[in-house]
Amino acid sequence: MIRRFTYLIISFLLLGCQYVFAQATLREAQRQAELLNFNDAINLYEKAFDKRETLMAARGLADSYRQLHNYPFAESWYAKVVQMEGHEPMDLFYYAEALQNNSKYHESKQWYLKYKEEAGEEVLSNLEQLISACDSAGYRMQHPVNFVFKLDTSLNTLQSDWGAFPYKNGIVFTSDRIINQKASKKPILFFDANNTLKKDVSGWTGLPYLKLFYSERKGEKWDEPQVFSNTLNGSFHNGPASFSKDGKEVYFTRTREIKNSKAYTHDKRKQKDYTIRLEVYSSKLDEQTSNWSEPQPFAYNAPLDYSVSDACLSADSKYLYFASDMPGGEGMSDLYYCKRQSDGSWGKPVNLKGLNTAGTERFPSFDNENNLYFASTGFGGMGGLDIYRAGYLDENKWAKAQNIGYPVNTPQDDFNIVFAADGKSGYLSSNRDGGKGMDDIYQFTKKELMFKLEGTVVNKKTGVPLNNAIVTLYNKKTNTNIKAPTDAKGAFAFNLEENSEYTVTAEKTNFITSRKDSLSTIGYTESKTLHAKLSLGIDSIELYKGIRLDNIYYDFNKWNIRADAGPELDKLVQVMTDNPTMIIELSSHTDSRGADSYNLQLSQKRAEAAVNYIISKGIDTKRITAKGYGETKPVNNCGNGTNCSETEFQLNRRTEFAILRY
């Protein structure tokens, strides 16, 4: 009795310690999130959730991934949050938003409607626009425009590279790529909003501050980018940049540390050393020395009150267009222009009414026909920032803005489009799926395509066509992908490029992603339609249910991975790559012959060997665990002392994986 009582006390104390640890970890996670250190917050929230599966920890993970624009993981965690007791209407909204950013427009619409029901009178004003956008986005994906994109891996990095602008024989762009290897890598791009500034890295990203770089194209590759100008690159964020038509004048965005804030404001709440607002600066080229002059601030900068950014000149340099959240605008950020006066100064800002919305408008630019392009969240597009075009009418009057279409626009942020002189090619910045880094520079051309892919997606077990599955076509030649939803008959279609190889995948919520490799148009000289049929892996994802891996064999009394087992484990590696939120347990099982304890040890070593192989292929160790069950989980009645055939014993000698979290 005393022994049992002592055991209960110890158990109670251990549970109490775990609770205290979970609470302390959760508080630290929240503190890191408040400091905008979302990468650190995620690690802490995960530890807290593993100890106690609370709504606060799950929401913290979901919110942190949303802030980092990691939409697959945001979707995964919000899916848990909305099923937990005590969730709030905005949790449903953010879940719908994550689904939208993952191209799951049909599901997104359903969750926006559920949010509307729960939010009641407090529903967001732009909800109907978002719901309508889910319908129009699906249509745009099924009717893509003829733009061909290329992602050049020699130009982009794992960090943020964006804002390319043609200059001389190359491009100038902005990047927070790691030059000093002491800088740590933490994802996502945002301007600094921390009043404890570091000199070497941004407090939000943990990466170097954005700088302007220059690179020239040599054949099929780009030269190694070099810092564009030490004069233009200040100590904090710099870029993007835009040049006059003759290349002698540049306007660019910058942040800086404000040490003399008292000179800007009498508001003591603002009198501190920090950099938070964006400003526009300009510089002129000295043709004799080929140096840029000391950057001069734009007349309408107000860094303690509002941001001014993304400036670009009209072709004749008489007008300067820019974005700002200055008072009096229509939304979170509006487009403005100033007219150059006879003395070279800029007149007062004029709001481009008719093009601005309650959302965000940024990154104005022009093509060679004087059409205005800009990025916006306010018109109900594909999701995130979308590119719009407004035709020039007369004296800064513009036609109604039109969405350029898919795949120029995607469910993620697409912005900063700049056309070359030919009007048919140029550069686009995007954080779309399939990129190399957080933001990437894409080259594009308008092109007529002559090949087509048609296919269907069906349930592998039943053969029934699956509607609203998201099919992704990846071009191995250009390192880009496009997506399309399946229709009511499970059908999809894509335009293809000539002399290209493709991979096509299909995904749907609660199904394991399916893949088909080696589709090709190489060698075809005439128009052709290719066909593909994809079968999603299982009816639905069932947690903790073993899924057998075939052809995983071990030599007698050994646990090393044989050569013939490699291809089968590679398939699991691909499944985990295609399903990045999946966390699994890989288990090894033996038959009942031999000592129980020995079988348990042998199966554990075999499971660990398989897991180590998978980790060696690049799968994060946090996503997979090894477990040997020995002979404790037979799939038939062949236990100790039974007289079974070799075939029956073989059924129990198996390797499985079970999905623990998705």
Side-chain angles (χ1 to χ4, degrees):
M1 183 70 180
I2 294 175
R3 184 179 298 173
R4 184 180 178 189
F5 181 70
T6 303
Y7 172 78
L8 289 174
I9 292 176
I10 293 173
S11 298
F12 177 78
L13 290 173
L14 287 174
L15 288 172
C17 289
Q18 289 182 354
Y19 175 80
V20 171
F21 176 80
Q23 288 297 103
T25 304
L26 187 58
R27 285 195 298 271
E28 180 60 18
Q30 291 172 309
R31 191 180 78 85
Q32 292 300 323
E34 289 170 0
L35 292 172
L36 312 181
N37 298 326
F38 295 111
N39 193 65
D40 292 337
I42 284 172
N43 292 329
L44 292 165
Y45 277 128
E46 284 181 340
K47 291 178 181 178
F49 188 83
D50 287 340
K51 293 294 181 183
R52 291 187 69 228
E53 296 187 359
T54 64
L55 172 63
M56 192 171 293
R59 181 187 286 138
L61 281 161
D63 289 345
S64 295
Y65 279 118
R66 175 172 58 86
Q67 293 286 359
L68 295 178
H69 293 195
N70 189 327
Y71 301 119
F73 279 86
E75 176 193 331
S76 176
W77 282 103
Y78 279 121
K80 296 176 178 60
V81 170
V82 298
Q83 300 298 332
M84 299 176 79
E85 186 177 349
H87 72 260
E88 299 174 355
M90 281 306 296
D91 295 324
L92 277 66
F93 178 86
Y94 288 136
Y95 182 40
E97 185 181 61
L99 288 164
Q100 183 180 18
N101 280 296
N102 290 328
S103 304
K104 298 178 180 179
Y105 294 107
H106 178 76
E107 294 175 66
S108 175
K109 179 179 178 180
Q110 304 309 311
W111 282 97
Y112 277 133
L113 291 171
K114 290 180 182 179
Y115 157 73
K116 180 180 181 180
E117 185 178 323
E118 287 198 14
E121 295 182 357
E122 297 182 358
V123 67
L124 294 175
S125 60
N126 65 336
L127 181 66
E128 294 302 324
Q129 191 177 54
L130 291 169
I131 292 173
S132 176
C134 288
D135 293 327
S136 61
Y139 176 84
R140 289 191 180 103
M141 292 178 79
Q142 292 173 332
H143 300 82
V145 295
N146 288 339
F147 277 70
V148 177
F149 287 87
K150 180 178 181 180
L151 175 69
D152 197 315
T153 55
S154 67
L155 179 65
N156 291 291
T157 66
L158 296 176
Q159 289 76 50
S160 286
D161 308 281
W162 57 282
F165 197 97
Y167 180 72
K168 292 187 176 180
N169 298 318
I171 57 172
V172 172
F173 64 96
T174 188
S175 175
D176 59 2
R177 61 186 57 204
I178 297 174
I179 300 176
N180 178 2
Q181 292 301 319
K182 293 182 179 179
S184 61
K185 187 184 76 172
K186 295 181 182 179
I188 202 46
L189 162 69
F190 269 99
F191 285 94
D192 195 280
N194 190 345
N195 57 351
T196 55
L197 293 179
K198 299 177 181 179
K199 294 296 184 182
D200 297 322
V201 297
S202 166
W204 187 302
T205 65
L207 289 166
Y209 289 98
L210 292 163
K211 291 188 179 298
L212 293 171
F213 289 84
Y214 175 73
S215 180
E216 291 189 5
R217 182 96 176 169
K218 295 292 177 65
E220 292 297 315
K221 293 186 177 182
W222 292 88
D223 280 347
E224 181 69 24
Q226 303 296 321
V227 173
F228 178 56
S229 167
N230 289 326
T231 303
L232 301 187
N233 280 310
S235 299
F236 298 99
H237 289 304
N238 306 273
S242 175
F243 295 83
S244 59
K245 194 171 184 179
D246 61 10
K248 297 178 182 179
E249 191 174 12
V250 62
Y251 285 80
F252 62 100
T253 305
R254 168 182 279 190
T255 63
R256 60 191 172 95
E257 183 177 16
I258 298 173
K259 293 184 177 180
N260 58 335
S261 55
K262 291 182 180 180
Y264 288 81
T265 179
H266 296 295
D267 189 341
K268 292 185 178 181
R269 293 171 299 177
K270 298 179 180 180
Q271 292 178 356
K272 51 188 176 182
D273 297 345
Y274 66 129
T275 175
I276 188 168
R277 301 292 184 179
L278 310 182
E279 300 178 87
V280 165
Y281 278 73
S282 63
S283 177
K284 293 184 178 180
L285 182 67
D286 185 327
E287 294 185 76
Q288 293 184 342
T289 64
S290 296
N291 293 324
W292 290 95
S293 65
E294 187 65 27
Q296 298 300 308
F298 182 46
Y300 300 101
N301 290 340
L304 296 186
D305 297 311
Y306 57 82
S307 288
V308 181
S309 63
D310 317 324
C312 81
L313 287 164
S314 60
D316 58 10
S317 293
K318 292 182 179 180
Y319 296 90
L320 184 72
Y321 295 82
F322 59 91
S324 178
D325 59 354
M326 65 177 60
E330 297 185 31
M332 298 175 66
S333 175
D334 281 14
L335 298 178
Y336 293 83
Y337 74 87
C338 292
K339 186 174 182 178
R340 200 188 294 263
Q341 307 299 298
S342 58
D343 62 358
S345 64
W346 293 107
K348 291 184 178 181
V350 179
N351 189 290
L352 269 70
K353 294 187 180 295
L355 298 183
N356 292 312
T357 69
T360 295
E361 278 72 48
R362 290 189 62 181
F363 306 108
S365 66
F366 295 90
D367 64 13
N368 57 356
E369 296 179 355
N370 211 27
N371 293 307
L372 173 65
Y373 292 80
F374 61 95
S376 174
T377 64
F379 290 94
M382 298 288 296
L385 288 167
D386 272 21
I387 303 292
Y388 290 82
R389 177 180 61 240
Y392 178 78
L393 297 178
D394 179 53
E395 189 61 28
N396 278 301
K397 294 181 180 179
W398 308 92
K400 183 179 179 181
Q402 301 292 325
N403 190 297
I404 295 183
Y406 181 81
V408 178
N409 292 317
T410 69
Q412 288 78 46
D413 290 327
D414 307 286
F415 58 100
N416 219 124
I417 192 169
V418 176
F419 281 84
D422 60 10
K424 295 182 179 181
S425 63
Y427 304 93
L428 173 76
S429 300
S430 179
N431 65 346
R432 63 186 58 189
D433 288 344
K436 183 176 181 180
M438 291 170 280
D439 292 293
D440 291 299
I441 297 168
Y442 289 83
Q443 301 164 71
F444 69 84
T445 56
K446 291 182 179 180
K447 192 173 184 180
E448 293 300 323
L449 304 175
M450 58 185 295
F451 297 104
K452 193 171 185 178
L453 170 66
E454 295 179 349
T456 56
V457 177
V458 300
N459 186 309
K460 184 177 181 180
K461 187 174 289 186
T462 65
V464 174
L466 291 168
N467 68 328
N468 293 310
I470 303 302
V471 183
T472 302
L473 182 76
Y474 173 72
N475 188 324
K476 297 179 182 179
K477 179 180 178 181
T478 61
N479 299 308
T480 57
N481 64 47
I482 55 175
K483 298 174 182 285
T486 55
D487 62 19
K489 296 181 180 179
F492 64 89
F494 292 104
N495 291 325
L496 305 177
E497 294 181 60
E498 66 269 25
N499 295 317
S500 296
E501 287 188 89
Y502 295 91
T503 292
V504 59
T505 58
E507 59 183 303
K508 187 175 174 69
T509 302
N510 293 328
F511 287 79
I512 293 179
T513 299
S514 178
R515 169 180 292 265
K516 185 176 181 64
D517 290 311
S518 301
L519 291 170
S520 175
T521 59
I522 295 175
Y524 292 124
T525 57
E526 298 180 359
S527 296
K528 187 176 180 65
T529 298
L530 305 180
H531 298 274
K533 185 175 182 180
L534 297 177
S535 300
L536 292 185
I538 54 177
D539 288 343
S540 61
I541 290 177
E542 298 179 57
L543 299 183
Y544 309 110
K545 181 180 179 181
I547 302 171
R548 182 162 184 155
L549 294 171
D550 295 325
N551 304 317
I552 305 295
Y553 302 121
Y554 299 89
D555 292 328
F556 177 72
N557 203 30
K558 293 184 179 180
W559 52 86
N560 59 291
I561 300 300
R562 292 181 5 178
D564 56 0
E568 297 303 317
L569 290 175
D570 288 340
K571 293 178 183 178
L572 180 56
V573 170
Q574 188 65 65
V575 167
M576 296 190 72
T577 302
D578 291 337
N579 299 269
T581 64
M582 181 186 291
I583 295 176
I584 71 168
E585 175 191 271
L586 189 140
S587 60
S588 180
H589 304 261
T590 68
D591 61 37
S592 61
R593 295 176 292 187
D596 294 359
S597 59
Y598 175 79
N599 285 336
L600 196 62
Q601 293 176 15
L602 180 63
S603 63
Q604 180 65 31
K605 290 178 179 179
R606 287 177 171 177
E608 290 173 354
V611 165
N612 289 336
Y613 177 91
I614 290 169
I615 291 172
S616 74
K617 297 294 184 177
I619 300 300
D620 192 329
T621 56
K622 293 188 294 185
R623 296 181 58 200
I624 183 169
T625 57
K627 181 67 175 178
Y629 287 98
E631 58 188 81
T632 62
K633 290 191 174 185
V635 296
N636 52 31
N637 294 320
C638 294
N640 287 332
T642 56
N643 186 21
C644 291
S645 67
E646 182 59 34
T647 301
E648 290 173 316
F649 278 125
Q650 176 63 52
L651 291 175
N652 290 325
R653 296 197 302 271
R654 66 197 190 279
T655 299
E656 297 178 339
F657 74 93
I659 301 170
L660 305 181
R661 189 186 298 168
Y662 187 80

